[in-house]
């Protein structure tokens, strides 16, 4: 009987010979559908590859030696042919001060693992981080030790990829959701097991060796063939524990289409068309705007449908999902109000802010992680997740629409044009919807808190800022009713009060980073958000200045008359 080892050596020799004829392997899509368990979820290999490269390098494709290499090629060659990758610039370092401290080129963004692992200054910073953790285990790292620790995590990711320990492609033998193993781990575990499993393990080992040989030989056809063979062999271990073809197709299609990117493109087109037809061609421009915004909204609905089907849950359990959901909600409310009032202002107010929000989500993957990950235990009650979290985030969507329409009013004043009373009334209506949803969501949050933590209210930072946001908007609405300010004050309030939403939504999670809502914590983006807030406050201040000029001019005209 011919041993599996001899067969493996024969395949290696055969594919090496064939490689002399066929050239190099440049297409790795034959592995895209192979199922792998990562971050507690079974996913297509393509998704795993893109997420792995993203967390290590901040990109889903890298330019190395003047050649753009996609994630599936980078991650696969790191797995099957790891030699030399430690000399390639893969590890992302963004912090300029850290690069200066480590003596690295300030103009470069990616650095080789080898250069960082031998950098004495880097090792010193890691030692400082270790000491900080020992002295104050509950405190978060700060400064350069924190930045160095972030880079160290990316280096650990590199090590795991080159050692193959993340490539858990063999299903658990006993449980559908049990931990999967790598092929070497499975082979070692089945040495003295059932003969059928021993044979299966030997076959997997043979298929993996043949795939490696095809890659080394540069034989594209053989690589594709062996990839298919390996995937089939893996499925034979426990076929009932694999996701269905429909599930895989949904996730792969979602990954290829990028629906939320197409959404902001259509929204941007809507805003441009409506702006260009504000004076001439208003009717035609309005109809085209409706078509474009509905197309963008369709892409968002499709994207959320995919995420729900893949994750099996409402798509608002992390910052990325809440951001794209709020943008979707703002467009939805604008469509409802636009259908009622036919004013153009709701679409003109919603589309620019939705574009800004979706572009941030699309271009900041290290800050807003787009991965579909399993829920943390406190979020696994889908009833409360749906009622509380969706209600709160929909209130943010209404406030985002209000601030968009408020910017239109303030923009008119900045150009010394008086907004119509109807425009101020539109702001008032959207604020009413937002306050109703925020009040309801806050109460439901107290009920969920009692259900999860045994108390309704504990002045947790997230709870406190949700209350502050609610009170600021109530202050603006009551001020209008009491006659303390007119429509202009309402427009200013709609913009300024949104800063309390930003603090409750982003600031608590990404700046304070404390409290029981730990599932929403993250870091980064402070400079971007701070810049946008600063520019917005400057715009509000200029609008107030213009408003006072207009009032003074009107008063002088009345006196002269």
């Amino acid at each position: 009987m011919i041993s599996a080892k001899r067969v493996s050596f024969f395949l290696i020799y055969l594919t090496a010979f064939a490689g002399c004829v066929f050239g190099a392997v440049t297409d790795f899509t034959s592995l895209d559908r192979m199922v792998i368990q990562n971050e507690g979820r079974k996913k297509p290999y393509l998704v795993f590859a893109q997420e792995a490269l993203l967390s290590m390098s901040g990109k889903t494709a890298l330019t190395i030696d003047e050649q753009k290499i996609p994630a599936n090629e980078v991650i696969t060659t790191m797995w099957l042919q790891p030699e030399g990758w430690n000399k390639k610039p893969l590890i992302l370092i963004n912090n300029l001060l850290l690069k200066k401290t480590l003596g690295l080129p300030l103009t470069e963004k990616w650095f080789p693992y080898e250069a960082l692992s031998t950098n004495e200054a880097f090792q010193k910073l890691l030692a400082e981080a270790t000491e900080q953790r020992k002295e104050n285990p509950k405190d978060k790292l700060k400064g350069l030790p924190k930045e160095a620790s972030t880079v160290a995590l990316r280096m650990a990711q590199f090590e795991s990829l080159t050692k193959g320990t993340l490539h858990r492609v063999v299903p658990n033998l006993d449980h559908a959701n049990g931990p999967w193993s790598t092929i070497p781990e499975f082979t070692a575990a089945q040495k003295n097991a059932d003969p059928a499993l021993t044979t299966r393990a030997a076959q997997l080992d043979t298929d993996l060796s043949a795939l490696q040989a095809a890659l080394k030989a540069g034989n594209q056809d053989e690589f594709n063939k062996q990839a298919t063979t390996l995937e089939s062999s893996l499925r034979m271990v426990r076929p009932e524990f694999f996701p269905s073809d429909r599930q895989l197709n949904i996730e792969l299609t979602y990954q290829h289409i990028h629906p939320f990117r197409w959404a902001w493109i259509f929204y941007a087109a809507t805003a441009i068309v409506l702006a260009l037809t504000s004076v001439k061609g208003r009717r035609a421009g309005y109809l085209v705007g409706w078509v474009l915004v509905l197309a963008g909204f369709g892409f968002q609905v499709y994207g959320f449908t995919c995420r729900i089907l893949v994750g099996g849950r409402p798509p608002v359990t992390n910052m990325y999902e809440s951001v794209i959901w709020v943008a979707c909600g703002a467009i939805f409310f604008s469509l409802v109000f636009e259908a009622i009032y036919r004013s153009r202002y709701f679409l003109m107010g919603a589309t620019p802010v939705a574009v800004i929000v979706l572009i941030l989500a699309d271009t900041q993957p290290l800050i807003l992680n787009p991965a579909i990950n399993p829920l943390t235990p406190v979020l696994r009650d889908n009833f409360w997740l749906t009622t509380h979290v969706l209600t709160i985030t929909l209130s943010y969507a209404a406030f985002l629409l209000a601030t968009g329409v408020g910017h239109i009013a303030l923009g008119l004043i900045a150009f010394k044009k008086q907004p119509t009373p109807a425009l101020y009334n539109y702001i008032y209506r959207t604020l009413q919807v937002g306050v109703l949803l925020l009040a309801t969501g806050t109460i439901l949050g107290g009920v969920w808190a009692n259900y999860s933590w045994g108390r309704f209210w504990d002045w947790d930072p997230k709870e406190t800022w949700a209350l502050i946001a609610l009170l600021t908007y109530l202050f603006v609405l009551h001020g209008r009713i009491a006659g303390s300010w007119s429509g202009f004050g309402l427009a200013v309030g709609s913009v300024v009060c949104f800063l309390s939403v930003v603090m409750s939504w982003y600031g608590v999670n990404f700046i304070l980073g404390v409290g029981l809502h730990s599932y929403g914590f993250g870091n980064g983006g402070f400079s971007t958000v701070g810049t946008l807030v600063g520019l917005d406050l400057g715009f509000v201040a200029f609008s107030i200045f213009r408003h006072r000029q207009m009032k003074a001019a009107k008063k002088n005209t009345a006196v002269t008359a």
Side-chain angles (χ1 to χ4, degrees), residues 38-198:
N38 179 253
E39 299 291 341
R41 189 172 73 83
K42 305 166 193 174
K43 60 185 71 171
Y45 183 80
L46 173 65
V47 176
F48 162 75
Q50 291 184 349
E51 291 176 357
L53 185 60
L54 188 65
S55 65
M56 183 173 58
S57 304
K59 297 282 186 180
T60 55
L62 283 179
T63 301
I64 301 175
D65 299 329
E66 300 182 354
Q67 182 181 0
K68 190 172 184 180
I69 308 177
N72 56 356
E73 180 175 347
V74 174
I75 301 304
T76 302
T77 51
M78 287 179 68
W79 172 36
L80 301 177
Q81 199 174 336
E83 299 83 7
W85 276 107
N86 62 335
K87 300 180 186 297
K88 303 292 185 181
L90 295 177
I91 311 299
L92 174 67
I93 302 181
N94 265 330
N95 189 278
L96 291 176
L97 182 57
L98 178 60
K99 286 189 278 190
K100 185 177 180 180
T101 303
L102 301 184
L104 301 173
L106 300 182
T107 55
E108 299 292 330
K109 293 184 68 175
W110 295 277
F111 301 89
Y113 174 89
E114 184 180 65
L116 296 175
S117 61
T118 57
N119 189 296
E120 293 183 3
F122 182 68
Q123 300 303 321
K124 184 178 179 181
L125 285 174
L126 291 181
E128 290 181 21
T130 302
E131 288 300 318
Q132 284 187 22
R133 288 195 181 98
K134 286 181 180 178
E135 292 176 4
N136 300 294
K138 294 184 179 181
D139 291 347
K140 288 191 172 185
L141 291 175
K142 297 179 181 179
L144 287 179
K146 175 187 175 182
E147 297 294 336
S149 293
T150 301
V151 175
L153 290 175
R154 293 171 185 155
M155 294 175 67
Q157 176 98 345
F158 175 91
E159 293 172 2
S160 298
L161 289 168
T162 52
K163 292 176 181 177
T165 56
L166 289 183
H167 287 77
R168 301 191 170 278
V169 293
V170 186
N172 190 285
L173 295 175
D174 302 315
H175 303 287
N177 296 316
W180 288 25
S181 57
T182 65
I183 292 176
E185 288 173 349
F186 183 75
T187 303
Q190 304 308 323
K191 279 185 178 179
N192 301 313
D194 180 83
L197 289 176
T198 303

